[in-house]
Amino acid sequence: MQRREKRELREKEIVEKTIRLLSQRGFLDLRMADIAKETKYSMGTIYSHFESKEDLLVACAHALIVEHKVLFNAIASQPISAIEKIITTAQCSWQISMRHPDLIEIDNLSLMPSVWRRATQQRANELNQLHVELAQLFLGLVLEAIEKSLNGYEELDQPQIEQLAHYLTHGMWGLCVGLSSTAQSGYASTLCPDSGDESDTYFATNYSNFLKGYGWQEENPDVVFEQCKNIAQQCMDQTIWFSNSSREQQS
């Protein structure tokens, strides 16, 4: 095995073990010495790969976003319509945020300007580029959905459709993030103390109403969301970090 391959494998091992440590302890309580102890590498070896704890955090986020790309490709290959692929993607985002808030925290922290300033420029750029690639892939689904599944836009020219797609994409992700943050904070249970385990219902209702506002005319949205939820789980099981087996291993 060549030296470069050994280095890449060592870096991959450090990242994977750090993700598990971050899940258990969180970023603020984790020290580079803890990572060295867990990986059984010296501090010098750790720092030869990552200049700072923030640099390592960005590397961990990159590994998780690669998983999101695997997940998106699994969804894209499903024999369902573009609007159903969008809903399935949203279902994945929701399920991940509910079951793996520790992993979502890694991604969210990696986007903070204070973290980027202490990470290497190359690593920060690689993470940003990956986010851009995923956004473009999702935008393609939205453009297809506007053409085939949403009503009321027949008179728009191409620039107007593209602008609409950007608005719709921004709104969909904003809704996903907002609903997830609300549920994780406990704010929803304070406002709706009788909701019990109905968080999925609140998500599906708000998301379907949002899509209806953009022209989605579906007689049985609950059925569609339930079907997409099942597909989402099948696609998540094709990943390393977001599958049910991954959660069981971390428990």
Side-chain angles (χ1 to χ4, degrees):
M1 185 181 294
Q2 295 183 355
R3 184 176 178 180
R4 179 177 178 181
E5 291 176 329
K6 289 182 179 179
R7 179 176 176 82
E8 290 174 350
L9 286 174
R10 186 166 60 239
E11 185 167 302
K12 183 174 182 288
E13 179 188 356
I14 294 170
V15 166
E16 289 176 350
K17 290 186 176 181
T18 301
I19 290 174
R20 298 195 185 281
L21 286 174
L22 287 168
S23 295
Q24 296 166 6
R25 305 186 192 182
F27 180 71
L28 294 179
D29 291 334
L30 187 63
R31 303 172 302 166
M32 293 293 268
D34 299 324
I35 297 166
K37 181 179 179 180
E38 179 68 19
T39 59
K40 296 182 173 57
Y41 292 125
S42 68
M43 290 286 285
T45 298
I46 300 295
Y47 277 109
S48 73
H49 286 274
F50 308 98
E51 292 189 2
S52 63
K53 188 170 74 166
E54 289 81 3
D55 195 42
L56 180 50
L57 174 70
V58 171
C60 292
H62 187 278
L64 293 174
I65 298 303
V66 168
E67 283 278 87
H68 280 285
K69 191 171 183 178
V70 171
L71 184 56
F72 185 91
N73 288 332
I75 294 170
S77 67
Q78 296 296 312
I80 54 179
S81 67
I83 195 71
E84 289 169 335
K85 290 176 182 178
I86 288 171
I87 294 171
T88 301
T89 303
Q91 286 281 19
C92 284
S93 176
W94 174 253
Q95 295 301 326
I96 291 170
S97 67
M98 293 296 99
R99 300 178 190 179
H100 306 276
D102 47 330
L103 301 182
I104 295 298
E105 183 178 355
I106 293 171
D107 185 30
N108 289 341
L109 285 173
S110 74
L111 299 176
M112 295 294 128
S114 59
V115 169
W116 282 54
R117 284 194 294 269
R118 289 181 58 82
T120 58
Q121 190 66 50
Q122 178 181 349
R123 210 177 295 280
N125 288 342
E126 288 173 352
L127 179 60
N128 181 63
Q129 181 59 38
L130 194 54
H131 276 289
V132 170
E133 289 176 14
L134 276 176
Q136 288 300 316
L137 290 172
F138 189 78
L139 186 63
L141 280 184
V142 174
L143 286 167
E144 184 179 346
I146 290 173
E147 177 184 356
K148 298 180 180 179
S149 304
L150 303 181
N151 297 319
Y153 306 110
E154 294 78 12
E155 302 302 321
L156 297 184
D157 58 25
Q158 191 59 34
Q160 291 172 321
I161 290 176
E162 291 177 359
Q163 184 180 51
L164 174 68
H166 282 288
Y167 288 150
L168 184 52
T169 300
H170 187 273
M172 284 188 288
W173 281 121
L175 182 59
C176 277
V177 172
L179 289 171
S180 299
S181 299
T182 300
Q184 290 171 13
S185 69
Y187 189 62
S189 61
T190 302
L191 290 178
C192 310
D194 299 325
S195 63
D197 296 325
E198 296 180 359
S199 59
D200 283 355
T201 302
Y202 281 102
F203 171 79
T205 299
N206 278 285
Y207 209 86
S208 63
N209 286 340
F210 174 86
L211 290 175
K212 288 177 183 177
Y214 271 93
W216 185 46
Q217 297 182 353
E218 171 59 48
E219 294 182 1
N220 299 300
D222 292 343
V223 173
V224 175
F225 268 78
E226 187 61 29
Q227 291 173 343
C228 290
K229 179 181 176 181
N230 293 333
I231 296 172
Q233 185 56 61
Q234 295 171 17
C235 293
M236 289 167 63
D237 285 341
Q238 298 183 37
T239 68
I240 297 172
W241 292 102
F242 306 136
S243 64
N244 282 330
S245 60
S246 172
R247 174 51 67 197
E248 291 169 0
Q249 291 172 7
Q250 294 180 41
S251 300

